[in-house]
Amino acid sequence: MSISNTPTSSDACLSIVHSLLCHRQGAESETFAKRAIESLVKKLKEKKDELDSLITAITTNGAHPSRCVTIQRTLDGRLQVAGRKGFPHVIYARLWRWPDLHKNELKHVKYCQFAFDLKCDSICVNPYHYERVVSPGIGPSGLLVKEEFDFEGQTSTQGTSGVSSLLPPSEGPSTASTPTFHVTAFMLMPTSSPAPDYWCSIAYFEMDVQVGETFKVPSSCPTVTVDGYVDPSGGDRFCLGQLSNVHRTEAIERARLHIGKGVQLECKGEGDVWVRCLSDHAVFVQSYYLDREAGRAPGDAVHKIYPSAYIKLFDLRQCHRQMQQQAATAQAAAAAQAAAVAGSIPGPGSVGGIAPAISLSAAAGIGVDDLRRLCILRMSFVKGWGPDYPRQSIKETPCWIEIHLHRALQLLDEVLHTMPVADPQALD
C-alpha cells in the first residue's frame, strides 16, 4: 500500500476492493457493492494501467484525468452481479456517483473511446467518463404532491411526476354536527428563490457550551471537512483543534484528541447531505432522515456512523414534505381545537367539547422550533448518547457539532409564509 494509503494495481485485490468500497454512495447494500467491485478488480488485475486509472478516478472523485476502464461486452450488453443483471456502466456509476441514477440518464464524455453507446467489443465503466443528463420533469423541482389533512391528523398523499402515492382513506358520512376541517397545501419545491450564499453553518460545542464562532460554509464549497487539527479554519475546512475553552475538562481534552481527521460533509443537488467518517473512531448522529429509513419515530434514535462509512444524512424533499405536513396539521388542529372549545363538536367522549380539545392540543402545539429541528443535524465525536449510553443528551457529550442547513431553513420560511394559518399564534 502506498504512503498515502491509496492502493495501486500492485496491491492485493482485497486492499483495492476495501479502498474502493469506502467510496460507494450507499444506495446498494454493502454485500452487492463488494461483489460488484471484486468482480471488476479481478477483471482488471491483468490490465494494471486501467486498474490504476480506476483507483485514481474513484479515490480523487474524478479530480484527475483518467483513461478508459474497460471490461468485455456480453452478448446482451448486461453484467450479472450477485444474481442481478444490469448495464455495467450504470451499475458502477450508481455505485460511485449517482445512487438514484436511471439507466437513460447517462451520456459519455467526448474523450471516452469505449463508451457503452459506441457498441465496441469492450465497455468503459469509468464513472467519470459519463455525465448525468436528468430527464425534464423528474428532478427535485418537478415534485408536486398534494396533501390533505383532516382535524384528526390523518394524511393522504397523491403524487405526480412518477411519485408513488397512497389513495385517500374513505370518509364516512358526515353530519352538520360533526364538521371536518380540511387544509390543502401544494408541496412544490420552489425554484424561484436563489440558493443561499452559505449552504450550512456549523457550531461546535463542548458539553452544553458553544466554543468558538459559528462556521459558515459557502455554497461554492459543497464539501466541508470538520477535523480535530490546529490549522486555521476557512472555506472548506473547520478545524476544531485550534479552538480554546477556559472551562475545558481533562475528559473533554482526551476526547478531542480522538477526533483526528473528523468527518466530511457533502451537499448534493439542491440540498441533500451526506457524511463520510474520516476519523478512526465512530461518530454519532441525530438525523430525521435516518430515523425514517430505520423505521423509527422522528428524533427517537441516535445513529452510529463507523470509520470509513459514507452515508446519506438528510433528504431535502423529504424534509420539505415533513415540514408541510406538520405545519398544515398544526393549523388544522388549531382550527378544530377552537371549534371543540366552543362546543361545536359534541360526542360521547366530550363534556362541553373539552375532551376533544385536549386530544387535539398536542398537534395544535407544534411550533416553529419543532419545524426548525427538521433542518438541523447534530453529531457527536467519539462518545455516543441516548438510550444505549449513560449520556441521555448530546449536551452531555464532550465534543459535538450542530449543523444548520440553510436551504431547508429557507424552504421552512416559505412554508410558514404561504400556509393559510387562520390563527398566526398557532405557529409562533
Side-chain angles (χ1 to χ4, degrees):
M1 188 85 66
S2 65
I3 295 173
S4 65
N5 287 330
T6 300
T8 69
S9 57
S10 301
D11 287 303
C13 283
L14 192 63
S15 299
I16 299 171
V17 170
H18 176 74
S19 176
L20 297 178
L21 192 60
C22 291
H23 293 269
R24 72 187 181 98
Q25 294 298 296
E28 301 287 0
S29 70
E30 184 169 347
T31 302
F32 178 86
K34 189 176 181 182
R35 293 278 289 276
I37 295 171
E38 283 175 345
S39 169
L40 181 56
V41 169
K42 286 175 182 175
K43 286 182 172 76
L44 297 174
K45 204 57 180 157
E46 301 305 316
K47 298 189 282 187
K48 292 188 179 295
D49 288 349
E50 293 188 23
L51 183 52
D52 281 325
S53 276
L54 176 71
I55 295 168
T56 298
I58 302 308
T59 57
T60 66
N61 294 323
H64 300 295
S66 52
R67 61 185 293 168
C68 285
V69 176
T70 61
I71 62 173
Q72 189 71 28
R73 181 186 289 270
T74 59
L75 288 175
D76 65 355
R78 293 188 298 167
L79 178 70
Q80 182 161 323
V81 177
R84 289 164 48 186
K85 273 197 164 188
F87 295 111
H89 63 312
V90 177
I91 289 173
Y92 294 108
R94 280 183 186 149
L95 192 61
W96 283 309
R97 293 194 71 182
W98 305 287
D100 58 345
L101 179 73
H102 187 271
K103 64 181 180 182
N104 295 329
E105 292 177 344
L106 281 184
K107 176 185 176 185
H108 65 270
V109 295
K110 291 180 180 177
Y111 51 83
C112 182
Q113 298 176 308
F114 296 94
F116 181 84
D117 292 340
L118 298 180
K119 309 293 184 186
C120 302
D121 289 339
S122 296
I123 299 171
C124 178
V125 294
N126 185 337
Y128 292 93
H129 276 206
Y130 294 89
E131 295 171 344
R132 187 177 186 180
V133 183
V134 180
S135 304
I138 65 169
S141 59
L143 178 64
L144 178 63
V145 182
K146 182 182 178 184
E147 296 283 354
E148 291 194 354
F149 305 85
D150 66 21
F151 75 94
E152 292 176 329
Q154 292 172 319
T155 309
S156 64
T157 307
Q158 288 183 295
T160 60
S161 300
V163 182
S164 59
S165 61
L166 299 173
L167 294 175
S170 58
E171 295 180 4
S174 60
T175 66
S177 62
T178 56
T180 301
F181 299 87
H182 284 279
V183 176
T184 299
F186 284 92
M187 294 171 32
L188 181 66
M189 289 283 285
T191 55
S192 56
S193 304
D197 293 335
Y198 300 91
W199 70 265
C200 78
S201 54
I202 307 170
Y204 169 64
F205 294 83
E206 293 176 359
M207 307 294 277
D208 60 351
V209 177
Q210 181 173 349
V211 178
E213 299 291 322
T214 298
F215 183 79
K216 292 185 176 181
V217 184
S219 295
S220 58
C221 297
T223 302
V224 60
T225 302
V226 183
D227 60 43
Y229 299 127
V230 296
D231 300 330
S233 297
D236 62 354
R237 190 174 175 203
F238 185 19
C239 296
L240 307 178
Q242 44 91 23
L243 299 176
S244 60
N245 176 12
V246 294
H247 303 294
R248 185 172 294 152
T249 64
E250 190 178 334
I252 293 174
E253 195 68 72
R254 279 198 307 270
R256 280 168 52 84
L257 293 174
H258 294 295
I259 296 173
K261 295 179 181 178
V263 295
Q264 193 175 65
L265 298 166
E266 185 177 0
C267 181
K268 294 189 174 187
E270 279 201 58
D272 294 353
V273 178
W274 293 64
V275 67
R276 176 176 277 112
C277 181
L278 304 175
S279 173
D280 291 334
H281 296 267
V283 295
F284 300 82
V285 179
Q286 189 176 59
S287 155
Y288 287 105
Y289 172 78
L290 290 180
D291 291 344
R292 187 184 180 110
E293 292 294 294
R296 303 288 291 268
D300 184 46
V302 176
H303 305 272
K304 187 174 183 179
I305 312 294
Y306 289 92
S308 299
Y310 182 60
I311 193 167
K312 187 175 183 177
L313 294 183
F314 178 82
D315 185 285
L316 186 67
R317 279 179 282 178
Q318 183 197 92
C319 176
H320 189 231
R321 286 195 294 272
Q322 212 167 343
M323 64 176 69
Q324 284 270 20
Q325 290 170 6
Q326 289 194 17
T329 300
Q331 192 269 339
Q337 186 180 29
V341 170
S344 62
I345 311 182
S350 68
V351 181
I354 299 302
I358 293 171
S359 67
L360 291 164
S361 62
I366 294 173
V368 172
D369 285 346
D370 298 292
L371 295 170
R372 280 179 61 85
R373 286 191 196 102
L374 300 174
C375 313
I376 295 171
L377 299 169
R378 286 177 159 187
M379 179 184 300
S380 70
F381 296 97
V382 187
K383 300 292 184 181
W385 83 97
D388 301 326
Y389 296 89
R391 296 162 292 274
Q392 293 305 300
S393 163
I394 194 171
K395 293 182 180 181
E396 297 171 36
T397 62
C399 37
W400 58 281
I401 54 176
E402 185 170 85
I403 305 147
H404 289 240
L405 303 172
H406 294 186
R407 178 63 172 145
L409 289 165
Q410 187 182 49
L411 291 183
L412 174 58
D413 190 55
E414 294 190 11
V415 167
L416 295 177
H417 279 89
T418 56
M419 280 300 301
V421 179
D423 175 12
Q425 297 303 312
L427 290 174
D428 280 354

